[in-house]
Amino acid sequence: DGGITQSPKYLFRKEGQNVTLSCEQNLNHDAMYWYRQDPGQGLRLIYYSQIVNDFQKGDIAEGYSVSREKKESFPLTVTSAQKNPTAFYLCASSIVTGANTGELFFGEGSRLTVL
Amino acid sequence: AQSVAQPEDQVNVAEGNPLTVKCTYSVSGNPYLFWYVQYPNRGLQFLLKYITGDNLVKGSYGFEAEFNKSQTSFHLKKPSALVSDSALYFCAVRDRQDYKLSFGAGTTVTVRA
């Protein structure tokens, strides 16, 4: 089945450690996104990528980094510079067309807890 | 800048009664509007979208939404709610010139039997 796979689903990290969240899609979508979800705040955009080897900062990029070496993959690294990394992280993808009307398809999320 | 407001944190209805989840938006141009649903510890599932045309949009699981340009609203509705509709609902907007999708804070719907 086509879809988006995020791993791990649950992750615990000590303060000062970097951690990388995986996101893989087999939908042949060009665009991929990372969102952070906190209770009562909705989803906030961290980074997005419209094409391989290119990505843009979202609204809360500080303390995060990404890469887009392959169309299928868009890993997110939460660095030690992120002051409050405990959150639920969601990866998404969408088609890219001239009209740009496509909805986002989401993975099942990764819950990161900093101990 | 674009933004979405969901004025109600929670909506409680009895099973079989109509369900409405409110959403208002702000964009500089013409909007693309979306509704998503999220069950606990899961990703978001797409329900429906408004792109252009008929102001009443029908989506998955019997949901529909009405686009009102003058009131900048896009309320989600279901004529007869089910207990299984209990979840967190998000409204989202995108300006037609942008790839970024902005989400509201979400509305928790509880349908009691």
Side-chain angles (χ1 to χ4, degrees):
Chain A
D1 286 359
I4 301 177
T5 301
Q6 288 187 241
S7 63
K9 189 168 179 63
Y10 297 97
L11 184 62
F12 297 88
R13 178 194 107 176
K14 294 182 180 180
E15 284 192 22
Q17 289 181 336
N18 292 353
V19 62
T20 297
L21 308 180
S22 170
C23 178
E24 303 278 332
Q25 55 101 356
N26 61 3
L27 299 169
N28 199 32
H29 286 172
D30 289 300
M32 297 187 74
Y33 310 77
W34 274 105
Y35 284 88
R36 169 179 171 141
Q37 183 178 13
D38 296 283
Q41 295 192 47
L43 278 68
R44 292 181 290 169
L45 182 64
I46 305 173
Y47 269 98
Y48 65 105
S49 168
Q50 299 169 27
I51 195 170
V52 174
N53 293 321
D54 188 39
F55 48 83
Q56 287 78 42
K57 292 182 178 180
D59 300 319
I60 56 164
E62 185 176 353
Y64 300 98
S65 65
V66 293
S67 63
R68 187 82 187 278
E69 298 176 0
K70 299 186 301 182
K71 186 176 184 178
E72 302 79 19
S73 179
F74 192 42
L76 174 74
T77 297
V78 185
T79 75
S80 57
Q82 168 51 233
K83 299 303 181 187
N84 185 20
T86 295
F88 191 51
Y89 291 88
L90 288 159
C91 179
S93 69
S94 69
I95 61 172
V96 174
T97 66
N100 189 27
T101 62
E103 64 271 21
L104 269 60
F105 291 79
F106 283 84
E108 291 292 275
S110 293
R111 185 167 297 281
L112 173 63
T113 302
V114 175
L115 303 173
Chain B
Q2 56 193 36
S3 65
V4 175
Q6 294 181 241
E8 299 162 316
D9 293 335
Q10 293 194 9
V11 170
N12 299 304
V13 298
E15 189 173 34
N17 281 2
L19 170 63
T20 298
V21 186
K22 296 180 180 178
C23 170
T24 58
Y25 66 89
S26 174
V27 294
S28 56
N30 291 317
Y32 293 151
L33 293 155
F34 304 81
W35 275 102
Y36 290 84
V37 61
Q38 184 182 35
Y39 297 97
N41 294 309
R42 304 293 298 277
L44 276 66
Q45 297 177 30
F46 168 75
L47 283 178
L48 51 78
K49 65 182 177 183
Y50 171 81
I51 303 300
T52 188
D54 195 346
N55 289 342
L56 184 63
V57 178
K58 294 187 182 298
S60 306
Y61 312 118
F63 283 96
E64 59 187 29
E66 186 166 11
F67 171 64
N68 187 318
K69 188 173 183 178
S70 63
Q71 297 184 5
T72 61
S73 67
F74 190 56
H75 302 329
L76 181 71
K77 300 180 181 181
K78 187 171 184 179
S80 178
L82 302 172
V83 172
S84 57
D85 293 328
S86 298
L88 181 58
Y89 290 80
F90 289 100
C91 182
V93 67
R94 171 194 285 153
D95 185 278
R96 296 189 177 194
Q97 306 304 317
D98 201 341
Y99 281 96
K100 295 191 299 182
L101 195 61
S102 296
F103 287 83
T107 298
T108 299
V109 171
T110 302
V111 182
R112 59 186 185 276

